[in-house]
Amino acid sequence: MEHQVELAAQPFSVDMKPSSVQRAAIDLYRRGLNVFPVCRPEEVQQLACNFPGNYEPGMKLPYILEPLFYSRMHLCIADCSQKEIKSGRLCPGARPGINFLDLFDFANIGVMLGRTSGNLVCIDCDIRSAFQQVQQEFTLRNLNYWAYYTSRGGNFLFRLKEGEAENKGKCGVDGVQIWGNKHFCVLPPSIHQTGVVYTWLMYTDPALNLPHFEPPP
């Protein structure tokens, strides 16, 4: 779908026992990131089989395209109901029949880079040697980051204090691209088409190592 829509959610309960992907989506959302569901590999492969002229098996397809550049999904919580009662106005993100958890059921997690995620930047390393080289550069400069392994290399995430980063298909390290606006990346614990599970470096896993609501460095 390419028309403007505003995704919303109904209040969820701990009794629902969300999956690892759903828990990660909630955690990242609360840290200020513009997260959204992305088709899993088997769904993309089926689309490529049914519509070979429009899709390829390796594509990363978000379920909704257009609004992701401009807005964030909305996770309704108890506070939303209380605000509705006090203000007499319906929560601006509320839409019937759309549930945050349901949207991430059997889906991968995407995050929009740029201003809707706090000027988030991704350094995308296609090979493991490039990942190790970039990690060394961060360490030498004493810079904090989030990082995770992908199918071939890995990604580094951090935020800029002001403005969005310019996208660069090439940089000083071979096999590395920089994404900072109108581009998204796929986050753990998503699954690659090869079957590889995207995995945080243990010491940068935000859910395990950071206080609730703390955004990327």
Side-chain angles (χ1 to χ4, degrees), residues 20-191:
S20 59
V21 170
Q22 291 169 324
R23 290 196 302 271
I26 293 170
D27 179 71
L28 294 167
Y29 171 90
R30 288 173 169 169
R31 296 180 188 278
L33 300 188
N34 178 4
V35 293
F36 49 87
V38 175
C39 294
R40 284 170 63 100
E42 50 267 47
E43 294 178 297
V44 179
Q45 290 168 6
Q46 188 62 54
L47 285 170
C49 181
N50 295 340
F51 308 98
N54 298 324
Y55 301 98
E56 297 179 4
M59 296 177 72
K60 298 174 182 176
L61 299 175
Y63 283 106
I64 297 176
L65 299 178
E66 185 65 22
L68 305 182
F69 302 137
Y70 313 112
S71 61
R72 299 176 65 234
M73 291 173 60
H74 178 75
L75 174 63
C76 280
I77 56 176
D79 287 348
C80 293
S81 298
Q82 295 172 3
K83 290 178 181 178
E84 286 179 355
I85 294 172
K86 291 181 179 179
S87 66
R89 295 191 299 270
L90 184 67
C91 176
R95 296 291 185 276
I98 301 178
N99 186 288
F100 189 97
L101 288 183
D102 289 344
L103 291 168
F104 285 97
D105 185 25
F106 200 71
N108 280 342
I109 301 175
V111 63
M112 195 68 213
L113 302 163
R115 61 184 178 84
T116 58
S117 290
N119 295 328
L120 188 67
V121 182
C122 174
I123 298 182
D124 184 354
C125 307
D126 289 336
I127 54 177
R128 189 57 59 92
S129 60
F131 180 85
Q132 294 170 342
Q133 185 175 348
V134 171
Q135 186 177 25
Q136 184 178 29
E137 296 293 338
F138 270 95
T139 302
L140 289 173
R141 291 165 173 76
N142 197 30
L143 296 173
N144 293 325
Y145 56 86
W146 289 4
Y148 59 95
Y149 296 118
T150 59
S151 61
R152 295 176 297 173
N155 289 349
F156 294 86
L157 298 176
F158 59 93
R159 292 179 302 133
L160 297 182
K161 287 186 176 181
E162 295 183 6
E164 297 178 323
E166 179 182 357
N167 295 332
K168 291 185 178 294
K170 294 182 180 180
C171 67
V173 181
D174 290 338
V176 173
Q177 298 87 42
I178 299 174
W179 307 116
N181 68 91
K182 294 187 177 180
H183 194 96
F184 72 90
C185 59
V186 177
L187 298 182
S190 299
I191 300 175

